[in-house]
């Protein structure tokens, strides 16, 4: 497995006395879940998300991208069922962003994006060991940034009302920062039983 170095910290922010965030960072799996503020039991939703996603991913020695998507879908269903069976947790939800080291049969080949069934004239190089890559998944507005050459670049797209306005050209990125509806997410785990 690739050698990765990481660190993390959470902060409740300026508005809420309670931190509804949960984080998991260990070899090959990195997850941040932000329980939805203002909803009942946001911290419980984020905890369920972390536990279910990590457990599902870690069932595999080297998961695939499909395994990561399945893990997030499972967590969504578990949060939804917990919310409808416990009145104190009704309406809970969480955003999530996850990175996992996965098996990638296309990584490390001589040419990018080559299909095994492609009748290429050049031989396709397949590494002797399972190839690895990183997969990134996000639901909601918990962002992931890439730092390269001492510069941060956002690599996820928010699932939010204002992001839809930006994408359709109705407002600018600068206007989105102060828009009165900037806290409305359009996707989150636990809000609907099926994603």
């Amino acid at each position: 497995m690739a050698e990765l170095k990481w660190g993390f910290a959470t902060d409740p922010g300026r508005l809420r006395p309670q931190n509804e965030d949960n984080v998991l960072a260990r070899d090959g799996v990195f997850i941040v879940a932000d329980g939805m503020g203002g909803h009942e039991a946001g911290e419980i939703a984020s905890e369920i998300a972390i536990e279910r996603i990590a457990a599902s991913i870690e069932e595999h020695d080297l998961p695939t991208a499909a395994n990561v998507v399945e893990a997030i879908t499972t967590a969504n269903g578990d949060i939804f069922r917990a919310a409808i069976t416990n009145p104190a947790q009704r309406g809970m939800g969480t955003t999530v962003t996850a990175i996992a080291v996965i098996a990638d049969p296309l990584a490390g080949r001589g040419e990018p994006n080559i299909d095994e069934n492609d009748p290429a004239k050049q031989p396709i190089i397949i590494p002797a060991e399972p190839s690895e890559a990183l997969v990134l998944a996000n639901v909601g507005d918990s962002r992931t940034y890439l730092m390269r050459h001492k510069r941060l670049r956002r690599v996820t797209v928010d699932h939010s009302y204002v992001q839809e306005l930006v994408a359709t050209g109705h407002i600018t990125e600068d206007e989105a920062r102060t828009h009165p509806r900037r806290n409305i997410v359009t996707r989150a785990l636990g809000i609907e039983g099926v994603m």
Side-chain angles (χ1 to χ4, degrees), residues 124-189:
I124 297 172
I125 301 165
I126 300 175
E129 294 186 26
S131 299
E132 298 173 344
L134 294 174
V135 67
L136 168 63
N138 79 296
V139 178
D141 63 353
S142 291
R143 294 177 174 178
T144 300
Y145 292 85
L146 171 66
M147 179 178 257
R148 183 176 284 160
H149 307 296
K150 298 182 182 179
R151 298 182 107 172
L152 282 177
R153 181 173 57 96
R154 188 171 82 186
V155 293
T156 54
V157 176
D158 291 350
H159 300 123
S160 68
Y161 176 72
V162 294
Q163 182 59 49
E164 289 176 10
L165 293 176
V166 170
T168 57
H170 288 86
I171 63 173
T172 66
E173 288 278 351
D174 285 339
E175 292 170 323
R177 288 186 186 93
T178 58
H179 194 280
R181 295 185 176 174
R182 67 185 174 275
N183 296 331
I184 298 174
V185 295
T186 56
R187 294 185 197 171
L189 298 186

Side-chain angles (χ1 to χ4, degrees), residues 31-47:
I31 309 167
V32 174
D34 182 1
M36 291 171 43
H39 289 274
E40 292 290 323
E43 70 279 359
I44 295 171
S46 64
E47 184 177 336

Side-chain angles (χ1 to χ4, degrees), residues 8-146:
F8 65 87
T10 67
D11 185 89
R14 294 179 229 149
L15 298 177
R16 291 178 176 55
Q18 178 175 320
N19 192 346
E20 296 182 335
D21 299 347
N22 269 288
V23 178
L24 177 115
R26 56 183 175 227
D27 284 339
V29 182
F30 309 92
I31 309 167
V32 174
D34 182 1
M36 291 171 43
H39 289 274
E40 292 290 323
E43 70 279 359
I44 295 171
S46 64
E47 184 177 336
I48 292 171
I50 294 287
E51 289 174 0
R52 300 303 194 283
I53 295 169
S56 187
I57 290 172
E58 291 172 345
E59 287 178 1
H60 310 277
D61 287 336
L62 199 53
T64 64
N67 297 141
V68 174
V69 170
E70 182 181 334
I72 292 170
T73 302
T74 299
N76 177 66
D78 290 348
I79 295 166
F80 182 78
R81 283 186 294 281
I84 61 173
T85 58
N86 186 338
Q89 297 174 353
R90 196 150 287 139
M92 72 176 172
T94 186
T95 64
V96 70
T97 188
I99 298 175
V101 176
I102 63 165
D104 184 358
L106 297 178
R109 291 192 176 182
E111 295 286 332
N113 302 319
I114 293 178
D115 182 353
E116 289 180 342
N117 300 317
D118 185 20
K121 298 194 187 232
Q122 297 175 335
I124 297 172
I125 301 165
I126 300 175
E129 294 186 26
S131 299
E132 298 173 344
L134 294 174
V135 67
L136 168 63
N138 79 296
V139 178
D141 63 353
S142 291
R143 294 177 174 178
T144 300
Y145 292 85
L146 171 66

